[in-house]
Amino acid sequence: MNLEAYNVVWETPSRHSGESMPAGGHDVGLNVWVEQGDICFYIDRSGSFDENNQMLKLGRVRLRLDPNPFTGGVSFRQELKLREGFIEIAGSLADGTAATVAVRVDALRPVVRLNVEANRPVRVLLAYESWRFREREVPHPRRMCATSMVGYPGAMMTYPDSVQFDGEGVLFFHRNRDEALVFDKLVELQGLGDHRERLWNPQYRYTFGGLMRGDGMRPAGTEEGVYLKTPFKAWKLASDEARERHRAVIALHSEQADSLEAWRGKLDERLAEAEESAERAEEESRQWWRAFWERSRIVIDPDRRLADERPWQVGRNYNLFRYMLGCNARGEYPTKFNGGLFTSDPVHVLRDPAWEEETADFRRWGGGAFTAQNQRLVYWPMLASGDWDMMKPQFEFYRRALGNAELRTRVYWGHGGCSFTEQVENFGLTIGWNWGWPDSPDLVHRRTPFHDPTEPISPWIKYHYVNQLEFAFMILQYRKFSGGDIRPYLPLIESAVRFFDEHYQLMYSREAVKRLDEDGKLVIFPSTAGETYKLAMNPADVVSALDATVRAVLELPDDLLDGGRRTYFGELLDRIPPLSFREREGRRTIAPAKRWQGIINVELPQLYPVFPYGQYGIGRDDLQVAIDTWRYGSDIPEQKNHISWHQDGIFCARLGLTEEAADMAIRKLADGECRFPAFWGPGHDWLPDHNWGGTGMIGLQEMLLQSAGEAIYLLPAWPMEWDVDFRLHAPGRTVVEGRVRGGRLEWWDIAPERRRKDVVVMAQTSGG
């Protein structure tokens, strides 16, 4: 795989942070740009959540050389080197002074490294910049940086970090104040105060930050400045002499620490290890990224044969986005769908000067709030790409919070199972904005005594629990692909399913005395099909999720599913209601639900039986019904789109609609509007839009490879005029690779060899 062809190269500096380039590793992301000769980057790290559960950047770093080859010089080059996972910046002056700076993050530890190489001695100034050097009140219109606090009637404060010179370095950290935690506010708001001590609280005594130090660098004072319209304070380190080589390291540490001293002790250990392992760490990172790229590949038009540049861009941007996902491979928390670790100043997202004063901490749907229907689309592509280790943070997100989600179910309704609403904080409770704050200035989300005390009041997510089933199903698919041990997640899977069984028997019995309908089926009401079809009965996404998940559970071996549980799930399978259908333009199509009362969003849940649940598609019964649902089954035009989380390309690929799938891939994975081509958005959410990239990845993978039962379908929706080299994963720890050239499948192979009999080639071939 010639990854070098996909390296992003800029030959002029950037104008601002909106023209940044991503670098990262382990669970750390950097936005790197060169502005007026200074190398700048924001640092973000998985899990950097403050008292309000706001996801805070860890700061901005600025590096300046003297003499400076990056300003007014004769050459400039900034390159993202994908194969090794770092950024290299090179420049030269007319007098011959030249320098190269490597900006990288260790793949195996949360450490940022800066290496300066010059052809003659230069001095360096390294500054740590913080805009959180004093307390700041967040006004109501800007509170989506911490989504729970939207509509909160009281003040919201972003508290200052602690930043100081520490010996020859700069120490920076944020330690949550126990008296100001949003956790406590939500526990009281949601009627769980009597159970506080039984609830898991990840905010308590949480501390995150780091220490920046450079070889031969000394403290050089502080200064205040303004970037865009945001004031900041800088703590500067300066080299003690001009040298041809300079090294700096930033070690990071996050922990729920009983004391600041305990946290600091761990940070010192990490810094010592980082300084001791400098050369070894570089080689370890190379090996990690090399293995990452060898796991899978999709390279489109590698010889640049096509006159149309767009298919090549599709392949390049697929790989750029996969690289961005790899930067949070070891995150304590999942990659957030609305930017991951790579958001920057919001003025460059909203393109409105009024936002220049807002800090880089802002993003819509921000903080520890996670939106399940978006998050899932970041993680589904990791099955086919073989990035199974990177799926664990998303699984752990729900496993850790399982106890909280089960407790709220027991308190509210008195039955078993977990209840994760569509938007939850990282401790498993509904975000405050959706639950509704009394006396909120947001009238739509103002909670009153007349609201149901067990449900959020937001119309979009009320009764929306389906995605706990989807993640249960994803874990089961993870086992099918990887063979990985899912024992730690079996309680989550069972609890996610059991909620729907027990909850809807209870709901129906309240209205009809009986717990099941005349056919012995569950009546799933009140519910919702996605966020779109409201007050729905037996919605298509819930019915297909239950059916697919229960069937997948029943496929587990006896050592994972004992006899009693197998009997329960078998009986539950018989209680799941059927999908509903309707006639549209004379054709039978899957209905969004048996019935519903209104439409308020633009999802297409009637096609969720196609993706993610795989009950319709190539190699399955009634394919035409699903095709007709795609063509005639939507209710409003906005349900079909390529932006953001829309799944149109995936649907088309799974239905074998090659021309439509290819068109959608081109629109989905075309260059974005930012300087870095895979920074898409804001779409429905924010920039970069990670569920935009995730849906693009899934669609492209499904065009090349699909499976149904034991069968593996090769090139089920691939435009044969697109040359491609590919290597993808299928269930059963199976790897399929091949090459298309000039309209023919020239070569393909499969491992293990015993799976060859299961392959169905759906394109003209010259051999296999």
Side-chain angles (χ1 to χ4, degrees), residues 116-182:
V116 179
E117 302 279 352
N119 64 347
R120 61 186 62 174
V122 297
R123 293 182 179 273
V124 299
L125 182 69
L126 184 64
Y128 173 84
E129 298 177 352
S130 174
W131 50 93
R132 296 191 303 271
F133 61 97
R134 59 190 176 209
E135 191 172 285
R136 177 174 178 266
E137 183 170 358
V138 182
H140 280 284
R142 302 293 173 88
R143 290 191 181 177
M144 281 197 83
C145 57
T147 315
S148 264
M149 297 299 287
V150 177
Y152 176 64
M156 173 183 164
M157 309 302 298
T158 297
Y159 296 101
D161 295 349
S162 297
V163 187
Q164 62 195 55
F165 290 115
D166 186 272
E168 296 179 350
V170 178
L171 174 69
F172 54 94
F173 64 89
H174 187 99
R175 182 168 173 84
N176 286 345
R177 292 153 176 78
D178 292 342
E179 71 279 3
L181 304 181
V182 73

Side-chain angles (χ1 to χ4, degrees), residues 174-236:
H174 187 99
R175 182 168 173 84
N176 286 345
R177 292 153 176 78
D178 292 342
E179 71 279 3
L181 304 181
V182 73
F183 172 88
D184 293 320
K185 295 181 176 69
L186 296 186
V187 168
E188 291 299 325
L189 176 69
Q190 296 175 30
L192 299 171
D194 291 344
H195 308 275
R196 181 189 311 274
E197 298 307 315
R198 298 169 58 195
L199 291 165
W200 171 59
N201 179 4
Q203 288 194 294
Y204 180 63
R205 295 181 177 175
Y206 191 62
T207 309
F208 53 93
L211 186 58
M212 181 174 78
R213 197 152 66 188
D215 293 344
M217 297 183 195
R218 306 287 183 268
T222 63
E223 66 179 19
E224 295 190 15
V226 175
Y227 185 70
L228 299 173
K229 291 184 179 179
T230 301
F232 69 87
K233 186 173 181 179
W235 285 258
K236 299 183 292 184

Side-chain angles (χ1 to χ4, degrees), residues 409-444:
T409 302
R410 185 65 65 183
V411 170
Y412 291 162
W413 300 294
H415 62 70
C418 61
S419 53
F420 288 102
T421 55
E422 167 60 20
Q423 290 185 314
V424 294
E425 289 289 1
N426 52 18
F427 40 82
L429 301 186
T430 305
I431 66 172
W433 181 37
N434 284 337
W435 191 264
W437 296 99
D439 303 319
S440 170
D442 179 353
L443 298 182
V444 174

